[in-house]
């Protein structure tokens, strides 16, 4: 078990230190000298400190604290945060005037031109002009993403009016905006976008429609066909448009699912002399939670991939397998009523231009191999050993309740009561594990499926499937089940170690501890 804890918690002290430093900024009376000291300490941790700092900026509402967070950004390489700061200022709608003013002042201080109107005001202006839309396009991918964000928040009638306005300009520069709307998982939006594309006399409009028509649903094919016919009557042909064929895939990686069902997916593909990248956060019940990416050089991409593999445990997979997982995640977004991230609409087609952007549920192939008979006792006993594998490094529970139990365990340990420890372990499993056994089973099957895709050892795959087969109705109580018992014990032990070093997850905002992850 000692080896296991070292594998998981090798950065415990550093992460605790980062979070503690960020928490100091929330205290009243923090001096400039103290902020300089904190910034210098955080700079030594690089991205490990920058990521939680940016997360805090995304959700902090206190203008004074926002100002301190923004000040610390100057201690990091600007390329790692300036785009994020711009998006925070433009996308956050939950801030009061003072909070917005602080962000704008920070942007101005870092050399950003804040005289241009915010995007939301640009596209919301009545009678939007060609000049307004071209200014949006001048922002590149960021402008397209902000356009989608704003579009999603509009009413049906406003969406229709905006699409008609785009087509009414008749200008080829608007094609990028309409192409994004054409990929929405909404038949009405797609129909209106196809109609507007048919009004722009440009070969690229015909090519966009022609490429989409090949895999369009029957519900929208008629509208796409009419727009193509209209352009054809006007002498506009898709054959006259230049085609930028995508190159081979450069890299496709994914993290194993953690105990909460979260994983990250990376895809990069050659486009001309650069790489197009897409980074997704996936959840096994909520689908695609976040997306970002863009163009990158080969050197930057290779450096980033090395970091992801070494620090985050990314595993190489095929692009076909990645497509199945992406479509499955899209189906989860659709069935759960969760919007797809705006950046996903912009970036996905560059890496998968010939693939249909259609939600399709995917069942892990391992699910068909789960034995209907009870798992033999000797195989059930071996299920706890799967936690020794690096793929399961994210299978510890980290919530405020775990820390409650860890605190109580330490108190009981001082009394020397073995019966008290056993009773507490049983209570832990009943409260925190028993309600989620079906989800844990599903995540074990996802893990076995990934192991097969990655070419892992058959014995390890079979043992993981054994663990799944013993759930959701285990043959033993949860606190006796070998795998569940070990998850509980190690989760408590890691929480106890954190408490001993002065870190208490319950002191952070919320119990989900995003910074800790």
């Amino acid at each position: 078990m000692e080896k296991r804890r070292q594998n998981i918690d090798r950065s415990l002290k550093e992460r605790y230190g980062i979070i503690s430093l960020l928490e100091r900024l929330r205290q009243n009376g923090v001096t400039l000298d103290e902020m300089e000291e904190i910034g210098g300490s955080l700079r030594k941790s690089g991205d490990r400190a920058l990521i939680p700092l940016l997360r805090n900026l995304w959700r902090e509402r206190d203008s004074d604290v926002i100002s301190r967070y923004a000040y610390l950004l100057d201690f990091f390489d600007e390329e790692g945060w300036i785009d994020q700061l711009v998006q925070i200022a433009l996308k956050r709608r939950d801030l009061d005037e003072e909070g917005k003013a602080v962000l704008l002042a920070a942007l101005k201080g870092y050399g950003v031109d804040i005289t241009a109107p915010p995007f939301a005001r640009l596209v919301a202006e009545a009678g939007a002009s060609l000049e307004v839309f071209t200014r949006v396009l001048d922002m590149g991918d960021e402008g397209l993403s902000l356009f989608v964000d704003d579009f999603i928040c509009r009413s049906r009638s406003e969406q229709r009016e905006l699409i008609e306005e785009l087509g009414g300009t008749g200008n080829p520069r608007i094609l990028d905006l309409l192409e994004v709307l054409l990929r929405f998982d909404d038949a009405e939006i797609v129909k209106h976008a196809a109609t507007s594309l048919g009004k722009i006399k440009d070969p690229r409009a015909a090519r966009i429609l022609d490429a989409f028509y090949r895999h369009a649903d029957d519900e929208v094919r008629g509208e796409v066909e009419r727009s193509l016919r209209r352009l054809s009557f006007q002498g506009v042909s898709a054959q006259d448009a230049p085609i930028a064929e995508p190159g081979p895939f450069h890299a496709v990686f994914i993290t194993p699912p953690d105990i909460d069902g979260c994983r990250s997916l990376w895809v990069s593909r050659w486009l001309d002399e650069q790489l197009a990248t897409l980074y997704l956060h996936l959840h096994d019940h909520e689908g695609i939670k976040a997306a970002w990416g863009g163009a990158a050089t080969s050197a930057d991409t290779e450096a980033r991939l090395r970091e992801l593999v070494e620090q985050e445990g990314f595993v190489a997979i095929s692009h076909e397998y990645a497509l199945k997982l992406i479509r499955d995640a899209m189906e989860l977004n659709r069935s759960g009523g969760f919007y797809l991230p705006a950046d996903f609409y912009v970036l996905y087609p560059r890496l998968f231009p010939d693939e249909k952007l259609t939600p399709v549920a995917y069942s892990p192939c391992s699910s068909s191999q789960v034995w209907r008979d009870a798992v033999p006792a000797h195989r059930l006993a071996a299920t706890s050993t799967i936690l020794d594998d690096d793929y399961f490094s994210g299978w510890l529970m980290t919530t405020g309740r775990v820390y409650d139990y860890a605190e109580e365990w330490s108190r009981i340990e001082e009394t020397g009561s073995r019966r008290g420890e056993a009773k507490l372990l049983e209570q832990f499993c009943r409260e925190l594990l028993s309600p989620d056994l079906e989800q844990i089973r599903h995540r074990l099957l996802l893990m076995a499926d990934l192991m097969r895709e990655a070419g892992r050892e058959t014995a390890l795959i079979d043992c993981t499937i054994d663990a799944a087969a013993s759930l959701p109705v285990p043959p033993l109580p949860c606190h006796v089940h070998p795998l569940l018992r070990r998850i509980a014990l190690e989760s408590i032990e890691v929480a106890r170690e954190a408490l001993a070093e002065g870190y208490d997850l319950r002191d952070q905002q919320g119990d989900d501890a995003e910074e800790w992850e």
Side-chain angles (χ1 to χ4, degrees):
M1 183 181 292
E2 185 62 30
K3 176 180 181 295
R4 161 75 175 162
R5 288 201 298 270
Q6 289 175 353
N7 286 341
I8 296 170
D9 251 15
R10 56 184 178 270
S11 59
L12 176 66
K13 291 183 178 180
E14 183 183 13
R15 286 183 287 174
Y16 161 62
I18 291 168
I19 294 171
S20 297
L21 289 172
L22 292 177
E23 280 300 303
R24 282 178 58 188
L25 296 174
R26 302 183 60 81
Q27 300 173 2
N28 293 327
V30 179
T31 66
L32 183 60
D33 288 340
E34 289 176 317
M35 291 176 62
E36 290 283 339
E37 178 186 348
I38 292 172
S41 298
L42 293 176
R43 177 167 49 196
K44 297 175 183 177
S45 296
D47 284 349
R48 281 192 176 275
L50 179 59
I51 291 172
L53 174 59
L54 288 170
R55 283 176 180 160
N56 285 7
L57 267 172
W58 269 106
R59 63 191 184 191
E60 181 59 54
R61 295 189 180 185
D62 187 297
S63 59
D64 289 336
V65 180
I66 290 174
S67 178
R68 295 166 193 162
Y69 286 155
Y71 178 82
L72 289 189
L73 290 174
D74 198 33
F75 287 86
F76 300 88
D77 185 355
E78 185 176 289
E79 291 184 1
W81 55 262
I82 190 65
D83 289 342
Q84 281 280 314
L85 185 60
V86 170
Q87 290 194 43
I88 290 169
L90 290 173
K91 290 186 178 182
R92 287 199 61 178
R93 299 183 176 93
D94 59 333
L95 293 175
D96 57 22
E97 292 302 317
E98 189 174 355
K100 294 176 183 177
V102 168
L103 284 175
L104 289 174
L107 286 171
K108 184 177 181 180
Y110 288 128
V112 176
D113 179 11
I114 63 171
T115 59
F119 176 80
R121 288 181 55 194
L122 290 179
V123 296
E125 290 175 0
S129 65
L130 173 61
E131 180 184 358
V132 170
F133 290 123
T134 53
R135 289 176 69 182
V136 170
L137 292 170
D138 286 340
M139 299 172 68
D141 287 348
E142 183 183 345
L144 289 174
S145 297
L146 290 170
F147 171 84
V148 174
D149 265 336
D150 184 86
F151 183 86
I152 288 172
C153 295
R154 291 170 175 265
S155 66
R156 278 291 187 182
S157 60
E158 290 174 332
Q159 289 176 344
R160 183 175 62 254
E161 291 171 3
L162 179 55
I163 296 174
E164 291 174 355
E165 185 72 32
L166 290 172
T169 65
N171 190 288
R173 291 203 66 188
I174 303 302
L175 292 175
D176 288 338
L177 299 178
L178 288 171
E179 187 177 13
V180 169
L181 296 180
L182 198 64
R183 303 185 188 108
F184 266 59
D185 183 28
D186 186 309
E188 289 304 309
I189 291 176
V190 172
K191 288 179 182 179
H192 289 305
T195 299
S196 289
L197 279 165
K199 297 177 182 178
I200 300 178
K201 300 177 183 179
D202 186 276
R204 185 167 162 242
R207 181 175 61 77
I208 291 171
L209 288 166
D210 183 65
F212 181 77
Y213 181 78
R214 299 171 197 167
H215 52 68
D217 292 332
D218 292 340
E219 189 176 1
V220 300
R221 286 176 71 89
E223 199 63 50
V224 176
E225 192 171 10
R226 277 190 289 274
S227 288
L228 280 169
R229 191 161 51 244
R230 177 177 179 173
L231 290 173
S232 178
F233 288 157
Q234 299 177 66
V236 179
S237 171
Q239 303 300 320
D240 298 329
I243 300 176
E245 293 290 347
F249 283 92
H250 169 260
V252 186
F253 283 82
I254 195 168
T255 58
D258 65 18
I259 196 169
D260 295 315
C262 299
R263 62 204 312 194
S264 298
L265 174 68
W266 168 283
V267 183
S268 52
R269 187 172 189 176
W270 287 104
L271 290 179
D272 297 325
E273 299 299 319
Q274 283 195 314
L275 286 165
T277 64
L278 175 65
Y279 191 103
L280 301 177
H281 275 324
L282 310 178
H283 187 269
D284 69 339
H285 285 306
E286 298 178 13
I288 301 174
K289 302 275 288 182
W292 61 88
T297 65
S298 176
D300 289 343
T301 302
E302 291 292 346
R304 179 60 174 151
L305 280 175
R306 282 195 298 271
E307 179 182 313
L308 292 175
V309 172
E310 293 171 3
Q311 298 184 10
E312 306 295 335
F314 273 69
V315 178
I317 58 174
S318 67
H319 73 272
E320 294 89 354
Y321 186 69
L323 262 176
K324 293 177 183 178
L325 299 180
I326 292 173
R327 287 171 171 160
D328 179 66
M330 292 174 63
E331 174 59 30
L332 292 170
N333 281 81
R334 172 196 275 179
S335 60
F338 305 110
Y339 281 118
L340 287 167
D343 290 322
F344 178 76
Y345 287 106
V346 176
L347 299 170
Y348 175 97
R350 297 179 188 172
L351 289 101
F352 301 100
D354 300 323
E355 302 292 341
K356 187 176 182 181
L357 193 68
T358 303
V360 179
Y362 171 70
S363 296
C365 61
S366 304
S367 60
S368 62
Q369 300 183 7
V370 175
W371 292 275
R372 295 183 179 181
D373 298 332
V375 178
H378 70 282
R379 294 213 307 251
L380 180 62
T383 58
S384 68
T385 63
I386 63 177
L387 293 184
D388 292 324
D389 191 83
D390 287 342
Y391 275 35
F392 286 89
S393 63
W395 278 63
L396 291 182
M397 303 180 70
T398 52
T399 67
R401 284 296 290 148
V402 174
Y403 277 65
D404 291 338
Y405 278 101
E407 200 169 55
E408 180 64 14
W409 188 284
S410 296
R411 188 189 66 78
I412 293 175
E413 188 177 61
E414 292 177 358
T415 69
S417 173
R418 293 293 184 183
R419 179 176 296 182
E421 291 178 354
K423 185 176 180 180
L424 189 67
L425 179 63
E426 181 179 358
Q427 182 181 341
F428 179 103
C429 293
R430 183 170 58 250
E431 177 187 347
L432 301 183
L433 286 174
S434 292
D436 297 327
L437 293 184
E438 181 61 50
Q439 290 94 321
I440 292 174
R441 176 184 184 274
H442 178 64
R443 288 156 194 168
L444 286 167
L445 291 177
L446 289 175
M447 185 73 82
D449 197 56
L450 174 61
M451 288 176 172
R452 179 172 288 106
E453 166 70 15
R456 295 299 305 276
E457 305 88 338
T458 301
L460 177 61
I461 297 172
D462 289 345
C463 194
T464 304
I465 294 177
D466 279 341
S470 68
L471 303 175
V473 183
L476 299 170
C478 285
H479 66 287
V480 181
H481 187 289
L483 174 62
L484 301 177
R485 179 183 179 85
R486 185 173 175 187
I487 290 174
L489 286 172
E490 293 199 9
S491 297
I492 291 173
E493 181 60 23
V494 169
R496 290 180 66 200
E497 291 177 0
L499 287 170
E501 296 191 22
Y503 174 78
D504 191 338
L505 184 66
R506 295 166 296 185
D507 293 337
Q508 309 306 314
Q509 291 183 340
D511 279 343
D512 57 355
E514 290 182 51
E515 299 96 336
W516 190 247
E517 296 172 359

